[in-house]
Amino acid sequence: RVRWAEQALWPIDLHQADEAFLTSSVRGVVPVVRADGQPIGDGKPGPITRRVMLAYDALVRAATKQG
């Protein structure tokens, strides 16, 4: 089971993270792969981020079709 939390972060938190993303209704899910010039995780969108991106895109597509 994946544990997650929504909280305020400091730069050190991002440098220690395996992956990170931002969300908004306009941009959807945006992977964050670098902070202060340093890679987050391996510098690529991680598996959780990719799953959330796919789920959000599917939700938007379904809502648009029903629109």
Side-chain angles (χ1 to χ4, degrees):
R1 183 166 212 185
V2 176
R3 295 180 52 105
W4 62 274
E6 181 178 336
Q7 63 189 38
L9 298 175
W10 295 94
I12 190 70
D13 296 319
L14 288 174
H15 297 152
Q16 294 175 351
D18 294 325
E19 58 184 290
F21 59 87
L22 302 171
T23 61
S24 78
S25 59
V26 174
R27 300 189 107 186
V29 179
V30 180
V32 178
V33 296
R34 297 185 80 69
D36 293 331
Q38 295 182 4
I40 295 175
D42 64 2
K44 301 176 197 168
I48 294 171
T49 301
R50 290 191 305 269
R51 283 178 36 203
V52 172
M53 290 171 73
L54 290 172
Y56 183 84
D57 290 345
L59 182 66
V60 169
R61 279 193 306 274
T64 302
K65 286 181 183 176
Q66 294 175 0

